[in-house]
Amino acid sequence: MKITKLEKYRPALHFSPEKNWMNDPNGLVFFKDEYHLFYQHNPHGSTWGPMHWGHAVSKDLISWDELEIALHPDDNGTIFSGSAVVDWNNTTGFFKEEPGLVAIFTHHSEGDHGKQAIQTQSLAYSLDNGRSWIKYDGNPVLAHPSKPDFRDPKVFWHKETKKWIMVLATGQTISLYSSANLKEWKFESEFGESCGSHEGVWECPDLFELSIEYSNDKKWVLIVSIGDNPNYDEGSRTQYFVGSFDGKKFTSEHEDIKWLDYGKDNYAGVSFSDIPEADGRRIYLGWMSNWRYANQVPTEGWRSQMTLPRELELHEKKGDYYLVQNLVRELDTYFDIKEERKEVIVTEEERTFFEVDDDYLEIILSLKNMNANKYGLTIEHTDSQYTTITIDTKENVLVLSREKSGVVDFSDNFPKLQRIHLKDSNQLQLRIIIDSSSLELFIDGGEQALTSLIFPDKVSKRIALFAEEGKVNLVYGKVSVPSKKG
Ligand code: FRU
């Protein structure tokens, strides 16, 4: 279903469900020229409730067509998060004619009469490119005698051992299982007790190998989302580990905690399965919200949206390995350049403005500080609503303020500042995408990202560049607006 008329806050570029509630992306997979996006969905209302898997497909990762609900609750429970794979070699025996899709998901069953809820892993398969689904009659395929948090299976084919590997969130650890046929699973190892952040329950893991930029080496990356903890302002957020995987066990190579995103609104993200080797990208997207206030955001009849899809890369600096994320190139065709500027000196007295009044925007800025204490940009949505990005050269931080960005009063936490410690605050490349109710910021070619919801009455009216107590050079600036071609 295409959303043609834009309702208030309805994103133009980001996937949002036509109606009702959505959370985590599930079952991200590419098959027969289509990207599939399944998602946690409550079709009965616009707050979290009995989980189903909603479904949408896309040819280019940006324009999505919403399809029928893929998975409905059954006797084993509601349908929590999970993944999907193409069973190319019919390891399951489900595909007599040709390869097809298998979904591996968590069944969540509420414990009656004060008993513990039960989470188990189950399968469903599709013989018609995901248009309809058959639940496996041997469900569930994996249970645990005592762990109450036992969910969010992400499965991939491990070529070297010729086995399926499942990473599963098990309380405050990730458990790894292996299988030859997706039906019988063997426990292999458990990771994480003594490393990473344990501020909240571990959820939605993903494990994959990436080449290291400018090198022939590869390393494994384990992504782990951590649930909301009322003692921390950040709410729910996502960490990752870089290390090795030998087919049974993942080993992290660092002590520090690595965050995937410095904004509040990128959670439960995972990557697409079965991207063809000729393409070779590791494409990721997350749920653009935060459990702290997700159920309260001020949209009507629908709630939540996904981040834009991002290509993940692994870079190395002084022996440290870190993820770099950049928007997929498919997004480029959605923009036309509106204005470019070079070498403009911005001072306290003389700001620089880009006049823009469009459904969505891309801003690219290359900034070189001359002697300002602070500099940055204000996205003026209306006369009284604005979002500010300030670079403080003394503190070496970038601060995003959404305090005055529009509706913020649905949560005490929402207006709080979001910050990134910068490597060099005197020289910065910023890429910012602004849609009806979000801002995604990428610093220095995706080395750091900040994803943030905003709820202004209008996308923008004007962008203002400012400098405080000194000057800054806008070495290059470009503003792009919706493409006329589309
Ligand atoms: C993460 C999560 C998952 C779970 C799902 C339920 O946001 O809590 O762990 O499977 O949401 O909707």
Side-chain angles (χ1 to χ4, degrees):
M1 219 163 301
K2 272 255 155 58
I3 291 139
T4 41
K5 188 187 157 296
L6 290 184
E7 309 148 58
K8 196 160 191 194
Y9 307 134
R10 176 71 84 178
L13 288 175
H14 296 75
F15 178 75
S16 60
E18 201 213 342
K19 284 200 219 103
N20 296 320
W21 168 267
M22 173 176 83
N23 56 293
D24 317 354
N26 297 149
L28 302 180
V29 65
F30 180 80
F31 186 51
K32 293 199 179 164
D33 293 329
E34 278 180 333
Y35 295 94
H36 291 262
L37 161 62
F38 300 89
Y39 50 90
Q40 289 287 278
H41 182 48
N42 174 14
H44 308 301
S46 53
T47 52
W48 192 85
M51 282 295 114
H52 297 54
W53 271 26
H55 188 195
V57 289
S58 172
K59 292 275 183 202
D60 72 351
L61 289 159
I62 309 293
S63 298
W64 295 92
D65 291 325
E66 195 170 319
L67 303 178
E68 296 289 302
I69 287 176
L71 298 174
H72 293 258
D74 58 44
D75 290 348
N76 285 312
T78 55
I79 316 294
F80 271 23
S81 286
S83 51
V85 294
V86 183
D87 185 12
W88 293 108
N89 298 313
N90 194 23
T91 62
T92 52
F94 294 151
F95 305 103
K96 304 270 169 337
E97 311 283 325
E98 53 168 344
L101 295 173
V102 184
I104 308 100
F105 59 89
T106 298
H107 260 127
H108 173 90
S109 168
E110 280 306 330
D112 292 332
H113 313 295
K115 279 208 210 118
Q116 214 27 295
I118 298 171
Q119 300 186 333
T120 55
Q121 317 322 314
S122 290
L123 307 178
Y125 58 98
S126 172
L127 303 172
D128 56 4
N129 308 330
R131 269 45 184 189
S132 67
W133 290 83
I134 305 160
K135 301 239 182 71
Y136 172 48
D137 57 14
N139 283 344
V141 294
L142 180 62
H144 194 279
S146 59
K147 287 193 169 165
D149 292 305
F150 194 65
R151 61 175 177 270
D152 309 340
K154 179 76 163 77
V155 172
F156 64 95
W157 179 252
H158 187 244
K159 282 198 291 286
E160 293 75 5
T161 54
K162 299 199 178 56
K163 279 195 180 132
W164 297 104
I165 300 293
M166 176 196 293
V167 281
L168 195 66
T170 48
Q172 299 241 340
T173 57
I174 300 302
S175 296
L176 285 82
Y177 290 81
S178 70
S179 172
N181 56 12
L182 296 174
K183 296 171 178 168
E184 282 125 41
W185 291 93
K186 176 174 173 261
F187 173 78
E188 296 288 359
S189 63
E190 194 166 351
F191 167 81
E193 200 148 293
S194 56
C195 52
S197 166
H198 289 272
E199 286 165 10
V201 65
W202 286 23
E203 301 185 310
C204 301
D206 193 2
L207 178 64
F208 47 83
E209 197 178 29
L210 285 181
S211 302
I212 301 160
E213 197 207 26
Y214 306 128
S215 145
N216 295 326
D217 281 352
K218 294 178 171 187
K219 285 198 186 289
W220 286 80
V221 176
L222 176 68
I223 293 183
V224 179
S225 286
I226 54 174
D228 187 16
N229 175 336
N231 298 326
Y232 298 92
D233 277 349
E234 286 82 359
S236 51
R237 50 183 170 159
T238 302
Q239 61 180 331
Y240 67 94
F241 302 89
V242 181
S244 58
F245 173 63
D246 63 4
K248 290 172 178 292
K249 193 172 174 252
F250 173 79
T251 311
S252 169
E253 289 178 358
H254 53 94
E255 305 267 307
D256 59 321
I257 296 172
K258 295 184 188 294
W259 300 111
L260 188 81
D261 198 302
Y262 293 87
K264 290 256 182 77
D265 300 307
N266 180 359
Y267 191 65
V270 284
S271 68
F272 277 85
S273 183
D274 293 281
I275 301 282
E277 255 172 52
D279 178 325
R281 289 178 294 176
R282 180 57 57 175
I283 301 170
Y284 158 100
L285 62 81
W287 173 45
M288 194 153 57
S289 198
N290 191 309
W291 278 119
R292 184 67 58 90
Y293 44 69
N295 278 286
Q296 285 87 42
V297 300
T299 54
E300 254 174 60
W302 61 279
R303 252 205 199 94
S304 295
Q305 49 191 306
M306 297 301 178
T307 68
L308 286 171
R310 302 164 184 196
E311 183 181 354
L312 298 180
E313 288 177 3
L314 194 60
H315 289 200
E316 186 261 351
K317 225 177 246 173
K318 296 186 192 141
D320 185 37
Y321 297 88
Y322 58 95
L323 279 180
V324 167
Q325 46 190 313
N326 278 301
L327 297 168
V328 294
R329 58 174 172 269
E330 285 84 344
L331 186 66
D332 297 347
T333 60
Y334 287 77
F335 287 101
D336 285 341
I337 300 175
K338 174 159 183 182
E339 202 178 334
E340 280 178 291
R341 291 202 203 150
K342 279 192 184 130
E343 303 291 342
V344 181
I345 307 296
V346 183
T347 67
E348 182 126 32
E349 295 74 40
E350 217 159 316
R351 296 194 289 164
T352 282
F353 300 99
F354 292 92
E355 309 286 334
V356 268
D357 181 358
D358 293 277
D359 288 345
Y360 57 87
L361 288 180
E362 179 191 53
I363 307 164
I364 290 182
L365 301 172
S366 174
L367 294 158
K368 203 165 178 186
N369 187 31
M370 296 163 79
N371 56 355
N373 277 345
K374 291 183 181 172
Y375 64 93
L377 68 153
T378 303
I379 298 131
E380 300 176 358
H381 306 294
T382 66
D383 286 340
S384 58
Q385 299 176 341
Y386 51 90
T387 301
T388 309
I389 295 173
T390 306
I391 293 106
D392 183 327
T393 59
K394 295 279 169 294
E395 304 280 328
N396 221 28
V397 289
L398 177 148
V399 181
L400 181 126
S401 164
R402 57 181 175 185
E403 291 161 289
K404 301 271 187 263
S405 60
V407 178
V408 300
D409 61 0
F410 54 90
S411 147
D412 290 345
N413 179 274
F414 190 81
K416 292 193 176 165
L417 300 175
Q418 300 171 73
R419 279 170 212 279
I420 307 188
H421 282 275
L422 298 169
K423 289 182 190 115
D424 180 2
S425 56
N426 285 316
Q427 198 149 339
L428 275 188
Q429 310 258 6
L430 304 179
R431 181 179 185 192
I432 304 164
I433 305 285
I434 305 169
D435 200 345
S436 322
S437 47
S438 70
L439 184 155
E440 283 161 286
L441 164 67
F442 301 90
I443 301 179
D444 291 346
E447 291 196 357
Q448 291 172 308
L450 191 159
T451 306
S452 178
L453 290 171
I454 43 173
F455 296 98
D457 290 343
K458 246 178 67 169
V459 173
S460 93
K461 176 174 150 281
R462 190 167 80 158
I463 312 291
L465 264 57
F466 63 86
E468 287 178 19
E469 294 169 54
K471 297 177 185 172
V472 66
N473 182 4
L474 170 65
V475 180
Y476 175 70
K478 179 171 89 172
V479 171
S480 303
V481 296
S483 162
K484 301 257 175 343
K485 298 186 282 283

